[in-house]
Each structure stands twice: as C-alpha cells, then as structure tokens.
Amino acid sequence: MKRILSMLVPEVPILIGATLLVTQPSLRGAALGLADVYPFTILAAALLLGWRFNRSRLVFAAALLALTQYVLAGGVDTPRERLFFHAATILLPVNLGLIALLPERGTVTMAGLLRWGIILLQVVAVGFLAKNVPVQATALLKTRFLPAVLTAWTPMAQAAILTFLVTGALLVAAWLGELQSPVRGYLYALAAVFAGLSWKATGPGQLIWFSTAGLVLVVAVIEASYLMAYRDGLTELPGRRALNEALLRLGGQFTVAMIDVDHFKLFNDRWGHDAGDHVLRMVAARLAAVPGGGKAYRYGGEEFAVLFAGKAAEECLPHLEELRETVATSRFTPRRRFRPRKKPTALKGGGGGGGRTREQIVITVSIGVAEKDNRHSTPDQVVMAADKALYRAKEAGRNRVSA
C-alpha cells in the first residue's frame, strides 16, 4: 500500500485540486483570480529550478507549455486558430514524450541548441501551413478512422487522442521499467495537458490545466532533488543525511544499531561490483523489514544503520538478533552473468552426478548496538559507540550482535 501511495502522491492530489478548481461553481472566483498569476508563477519557478538544478528537460517543457498556451489564447474562431489548436494537440504530447524519454543534455549545449532548433522548426512549419493552407491542413489533422460518436466528448481529433495514448503508454512503460525515473512527472503532466486541450467550457479552465501541468513538473524536480539528497539510489533506503536529521529530531531515549556486511570486500573482489550491488540490495530489503519499530538507513558502502526511537538497547537486541538470523539464512545465488574473477576450486552446495549446481553464498552481517545514556548523550556519541560495538562484533568472529 505504501508503494502504491508513493506512486500517486503528490501528483494525483494536485490533479484532483485542479479538477475541483475548474469544475466547482463556488470556486469560480478563485479560479479567475488565480488565472492572472498562476501561469507566470509556474513558468518562473520552472525556469529558475531548471537553471539552478541543471534540469534542461524542465526548461524545454515549460517553454512548450507556455508557447502552446500563448498560441491557443485567441480561441478557435478562425481557420488559422483551428489549425493552431489541432496542430498543438498532436505536437505537444509528442514533444513532451520526447523530452521525458531523452536524457538531460543542457539548454545551451549543442544538443540543447538542436532541440531548440527542432521546436523552432515546428513553429515555422505550422505558421507556414496556417498562412497558406489552413483549411486543408486542419482537415488532414481531423481525419477520422473511428465513428465520430466515440470522440464527440472532446474537441480534439482522433489522431490527437491516439497520439496521447501512444505517448502515455511509452511513458508508463518507461516508468514501470525504472520507478525512480523522471518520466513519472511527465506522465501526470501529460494527463493535465490532455484535460486542458479537452476543456470545452468557457473561463480559465484550459489555462489552469496547462499551469497545473507545469506545477506537476516543478514538483517532480523538487521530489527528485529530495530523493537524491536523502535516499540511497541503490538500496532505496534513506541515506546518511536522512539519519543525521532523524537523530537531531529525537529528544528522548533511542538506540542505534550499526550493521556491516561481513567480508564484503572479498566478495566484491571475487564476484565483481554488480554482484556486490545485488547483495547490498538483498541486505537492505531485510533491513527495511526489521521488527521492533526500527527504521533502516544506508550509512555508506556496505554499512547500514537502524534507528529505534523511544527504545533502550535491551529492548532492541532480540529484534536485531532476529534480523541477523534472517540475513544469515538467506542465500545469494549468483546469476550466470556474475562470473567469479578467480575460478573456484569447488562449487559450494554442489551435488553428485553429472549436473552442476549453481553456487549458493551465505551472506552474514555483524551488528553493533548502543543507546542514549549518561555516557553517550548526543547522537554523534551514540553512533560512535555503536560503531565501536560493531568492531567488537567483527573481532569476536563476525555474524553476531554486540552491545
């Protein structure tokens, strides 16, 4: 449930808020007032964040949204305006999809200038068609391949709806392939753009939806920056900075456990860093489920920490012993692509007969525990005491808990 919520928040509440703002009669006054400042505030925030955090995709997306809204501000009363609208319903989702899927390459680099050039080329092409053959070009963009009744609910042509669906499917596939991918924000922004272009009612609805698309992208950059600062990308556990801040917020009793993967350097030397990363992810998954109300953090390298707020060390020891046993009873089976750098003399776990049994490796951890007391009254002192206990556990033979 927590993972599902993390995939919906904060974007879905933002979209729900925008829906209420443009549909509820009681909020019409607020929507009219917001329309005067909302787009400019979002555009300024997007450009500032894009420049400050080197997020060129945000700059390109904000520029596209602003340009499209400017072009569509005149309505769809003339043949030229109708062509602008239908061209935007196809070009905008395509461009947003490409921005989301292509890597960051800067805004004034050669790659960035090329992207600006492509956008300018599209503007020139649409302007040329609008000046010379607006009716014919619009008729081509409005070509129907399904019964008209199926798409009567939106002013967009069927080709545009198909473009949105294909772009959305590509973004969903990219997001599911990498849950921390920035395409997530663009997928929700695409939904807001679709709502804006489908908006038929008079008033600031379309403007609110386009600005909301920009807001979603701004929030996505802020979320990504937070995750980079506070969450470890490999294990998806909170990082050392998050632990330090959590310790500073604690005012009463707490216990810290420092955890180290035994013989990890030897494992890396034999199996390589890719296999080592898999081991760290496996251990992190066990730590994330630590019993007793503890919260796990990646401290650095092969070292982790578990924080028990409001508990003494004696209360935590049974839970940490259970955690140690859980890790020790888990078996890591190297995949075929993980070749040992040195040929093993024998396969562990191998049976008789003509077949070869894939090697299973036992992973263990050593744990040092310390609590806040009269001798260790500050978070730094508690962490240092837990670290010393960890070294005692290693010197005593590893795969044990020491307090």
Side-chain angles (χ1 to χ4, degrees):
M1 179 60 70
K2 185 177 179 181
R3 179 174 287 273
I4 294 176
L5 285 176
S6 69
M7 298 172 70
L8 301 176
V9 177
E11 293 89 351
V12 169
I14 291 174
L15 297 181
I16 292 175
T19 302
L20 294 175
L21 187 62
V22 298
T23 58
Q24 296 301 306
S26 60
L27 297 177
R28 183 172 178 80
L32 289 171
L34 190 61
D36 293 332
V37 295
Y38 191 20
F40 303 104
T41 303
I42 295 301
L43 178 61
L47 295 178
L48 179 62
L49 285 175
W51 166 75
R52 187 65 182 86
F53 293 105
N54 295 317
R55 295 293 186 267
S56 62
R57 284 183 290 199
L58 178 60
V59 174
F60 284 113
L64 280 171
L65 291 171
L67 175 63
T68 304
Q69 184 56 48
Y70 175 78
V71 170
L72 300 182
V76 289
D77 298 325
T78 67
R80 290 180 60 185
E81 290 171 344
R82 285 191 285 273
L83 174 60
F84 289 153
F85 173 79
H86 289 290
T89 59
I90 292 178
L91 293 177
L92 185 55
V94 169
N95 281 277
L96 285 177
L98 289 174
I99 290 171
L101 296 172
L102 292 176
E104 296 278 1
R105 286 293 183 266
T107 53
V108 293
T109 60
M110 286 301 297
L113 293 175
L114 177 61
R115 294 178 185 183
W116 286 122
I118 293 173
I119 293 174
L120 179 61
L121 182 62
Q122 294 174 63
V123 172
V124 171
V126 173
F128 175 82
L129 294 175
K131 182 179 180 180
N132 295 281
V133 287
V135 175
Q136 297 88 330
T138 302
L140 180 63
L141 294 175
K142 293 179 65 177
T143 301
R144 288 198 300 265
F145 43 86
L146 292 173
V149 67
L150 296 177
T151 55
W153 51 273
T154 174
M156 287 193 293
Q158 293 181 1
I161 297 174
L162 180 61
T163 303
F164 270 97
L165 290 175
V166 171
T167 304
L170 291 174
L171 294 182
V172 168
W175 181 20
L176 294 179
E178 184 183 350
L179 291 179
Q180 301 300 325
S181 171
V183 301
R184 162 183 170 166
Y186 288 87
L187 178 63
Y188 284 109
L190 189 71
V193 168
F194 184 86
L197 292 174
S198 297
W199 193 255
K200 292 183 179 181
T202 58
Q206 186 179 87
L207 187 62
I208 295 293
W209 277 118
F210 271 69
S211 301
T212 299
L215 175 61
V216 167
L217 294 176
V218 167
V219 170
V221 168
I222 296 173
E223 285 275 303
S225 300
Y226 170 83
L227 290 176
M228 287 178 63
Y230 289 94
R231 187 167 293 273
D232 176 59
L234 176 65
T235 63
E236 297 189 6
L237 291 177
R240 185 168 179 173
R241 179 178 295 183
L243 171 64
N244 292 338
E245 294 197 2
L247 287 169
L248 292 175
R249 290 194 298 267
L250 294 176
Q253 179 71 49
F254 65 89
T255 294
V256 173
M258 299 301 293
I259 303 165
D260 191 84
V261 181
D262 295 329
H263 301 298
F264 186 73
K265 186 179 184 304
L266 295 177
F267 181 92
N268 260 355
D269 290 342
R270 180 179 179 187
W271 293 98
H273 292 287
D274 285 346
D277 289 346
H278 276 71
V279 167
L280 292 177
R281 281 193 287 265
M282 182 193 77
V283 172
R286 306 297 186 272
L287 295 179
V290 59
K295 184 169 183 178
Y297 299 82
R298 174 116 186 253
Y299 198 72
E302 68 270 27
E303 196 168 5
F304 299 85
V306 175
L307 175 61
F308 293 90
K311 292 192 174 182
E314 187 175 354
E315 300 175 77
C316 304
L317 288 175
H319 304 301
L320 292 169
E321 184 63 33
E322 180 182 345
L323 173 64
R324 183 199 62 77
E325 291 180 1
T326 299
V327 175
T329 54
S330 302
R331 294 293 185 269
F332 178 76
T333 304
R335 299 176 183 175
R336 292 184 180 276
R337 62 190 180 92
F338 298 142
R339 303 287 186 182
R341 295 180 178 180
K342 296 181 180 179
K343 185 176 179 181
T345 55
L347 288 173
K348 296 181 182 178
R356 288 170 58 91
T357 303
R358 294 174 66 184
E359 183 171 1
Q360 289 190 332
I361 300 172
V362 177
I363 303 297
T364 62
V365 295
S366 299
I367 304 176
V369 187
E371 64 181 357
K372 180 183 178 181
D373 54 24
N374 293 331
R375 293 177 55 202
H376 312 113
S377 57
T378 68
D380 286 343
Q381 290 173 340
V382 176
V383 171
M384 289 179 62
D387 214 34
K388 291 179 180 178
L390 169 63
Y391 280 102
R392 289 197 298 272
K394 286 185 169 295
E395 290 172 357
R398 294 182 170 84
N399 190 25
R400 64 193 65 226
V401 179
S402 175

